[in-house]
Amino acid sequence: MSPPSLIEAHSNLSETAPVALSYELFPPRSPAAAESLWTTIGELESTDPDYVSVTYGASGSNRDTAVELINRLILETTLRPLAHLTCVGNTPEELAGIIGELLDVGVRGILALRGDEPKDGSAPASGSLRYAQDLIELIRRVEQRRSALLCAGKVAVGVAAYPTRHPESPSEAHDVEVLLAKQRSGADFAITQVFFHSEQYADLMTRARRAGVTIPIIPGVMPLTSLRRVTRLGELAGVAPDPRLMERLASADSDIERRRIGVAATVDLANAALDAGAPGIHLYTFNEHACALDVLDKLALPRPSRPASRLSAIARRQVLAS
């Protein structure tokens, strides 16, 4: 029998390759929200994700709270934070200081975002950055200056990708060109905005790969259990949710039934993305763990084995918290 070809060997490896798992959190807005969030963090930590992303308010409106949350995640948990950072309205000097602050507390992953334009229509401050690719290049310059402090290591830089046309974009093709520009500026991976139809992630992958995008593109999936939240995110994304799902959520007799319907729909979306070659799943939790864990249970993702010391650290925290 002849040995397997390289293509066959690669295929066999792909079938058993671990799938990345991550969650999104946002800084709490009140003491009560903080208490609830830390309950969620403990539950999510028990699943041993690869990282958790921490959002950052428009124009850095909650920067201090976000940095405080990131610092606590590093000091008090086994979780690895991916810090969101927006650039609109900030100068390179201001942003370089924020990047340095994040690196100083131990962050080694940054999600570089443009951020929302000022809602009042005012012009950006003179000299402020305008695009995510400019922020990526700035992160790389700060990284280079701190190479010795990082032990010549590398900061992982993520960016946003859009399965459907960005509301401010002229076309889906333009969105892919923007993603390609981010890659050329030094992005390592992308996380998609929410999507509602199973074919949308596969379509994005086809368009992106044909255009020359080679970085991993991770599907961002939200538990589709809240009719109000799905409606609102559909408006923000400029794409209509599946009308059949909306009808089923609206006609559900109870919250339990609504949750069952939404979790099943979310699992279908995630599995469709995995079938299309997704390297991982990023769950938008809205600081709630129950539905996210329901989705995770039904996905049964192949996960990498972890050192016993890391897993025992999680177990120790659970005992201490009980």
Side-chain angles (χ1 to χ4, degrees):
M1 180 181 293
S2 60
S5 67
L6 289 176
I7 294 177
E8 291 171 334
H10 176 74
S11 175
N12 291 336
L13 286 173
S14 298
E15 290 174 0
T16 58
V19 172
L21 170 66
S22 55
Y23 304 104
E24 180 180 278
L25 304 171
F26 57 81
R29 299 185 177 97
S30 68
E35 183 176 352
S36 175
L37 171 60
W38 280 94
T39 298
T40 286
I41 287 171
E43 294 291 335
L44 298 180
E45 184 184 17
S46 69
T47 69
D48 196 25
D50 296 283
Y51 59 91
V52 292
S53 71
V54 177
T55 66
Y56 186 81
S59 302
S61 57
N62 62 353
R63 179 170 68 88
D64 291 343
T65 311
V67 172
E68 179 184 356
L69 174 57
I70 288 167
N71 199 30
R72 285 193 64 187
L73 288 172
I74 291 171
L75 292 175
E76 301 176 24
T77 77
T78 60
L79 298 170
R80 304 180 184 93
L82 172 71
H84 291 218
L85 184 59
T86 59
C87 65
V88 166
N90 292 104
T91 66
E93 294 75 20
E94 292 168 337
L95 289 164
I98 296 169
I99 295 164
E101 182 180 2
L102 292 172
L103 297 181
D104 286 344
V105 300
V107 169
R108 294 298 179 265
I110 297 175
L111 191 66
L113 306 167
R114 186 198 72 174
D116 297 328
E117 297 284 0
K119 293 182 179 179
D120 59 6
S122 60
S126 176
S128 63
L129 297 189
R130 299 292 304 277
Y131 302 106
Q133 50 262 51
D134 299 325
L135 177 56
I136 298 165
E137 292 168 4
L138 177 62
I139 293 169
R140 292 304 183 205
R141 291 197 297 273
V142 173
E143 173 190 58
Q144 188 174 32
R145 292 198 298 269
R146 289 170 166 257
S147 180
L149 295 173
L150 297 171
C151 299
K154 191 173 186 291
V155 177
V157 178
V159 295
Y162 296 89
T164 58
R165 184 182 64 81
H166 187 284
E168 298 176 19
S169 170
S171 67
E172 291 180 338
H174 178 265
D175 289 337
V176 170
E177 287 301 316
V178 170
L179 181 57
L180 185 60
K182 294 175 184 176
Q183 175 180 288
R184 289 169 177 159
S185 293
D188 295 301
F189 65 98
I191 299 174
T192 76
Q193 295 293 324
V194 295
F195 56 99
F196 301 106
H197 302 274
S198 58
E199 72 279 2
Q200 288 171 334
Y201 175 81
D203 289 347
L204 168 63
M205 289 294 292
T206 298
R207 290 183 277 109
R209 296 304 184 230
R210 284 176 178 170
V213 176
T214 58
I215 59 174
I217 302 175
I218 302 165
V221 179
M222 63 167 282
L224 302 170
T225 54
S226 166
L227 184 63
R228 176 187 58 80
R229 188 172 288 158
V230 172
T231 301
R232 177 60 178 154
L233 284 177
E235 292 170 352
L236 292 174
V239 59
D242 185 342
R244 293 169 298 179
L245 172 64
M246 301 296 282
E247 182 179 345
R248 293 183 66 199
L249 289 174
S251 61
D253 294 331
S254 66
D255 288 342
I256 294 175
E257 177 66 7
R258 194 171 295 109
R259 178 166 160 178
R260 185 193 65 78
I261 292 168
V263 166
T266 307
V267 170
D268 287 344
L269 274 186
N271 277 328
L274 292 169
D275 290 343
I281 296 294
H282 185 70
L283 282 166
Y284 295 108
T285 69
F286 297 92
N287 287 10
E288 299 168 0
H289 59 272
C291 292
L293 294 182
D294 283 353
V295 170
L296 186 61
D297 285 344
K298 294 185 180 303
L299 281 175
L301 301 177
R303 298 284 293 135
S305 56
R306 300 294 193 190
S309 59
R310 175 174 167 81
L311 296 177
S312 63
I314 297 173
R316 283 197 301 274
R317 273 186 45 78
Q318 290 175 325
V319 170
L320 292 172
S322 62

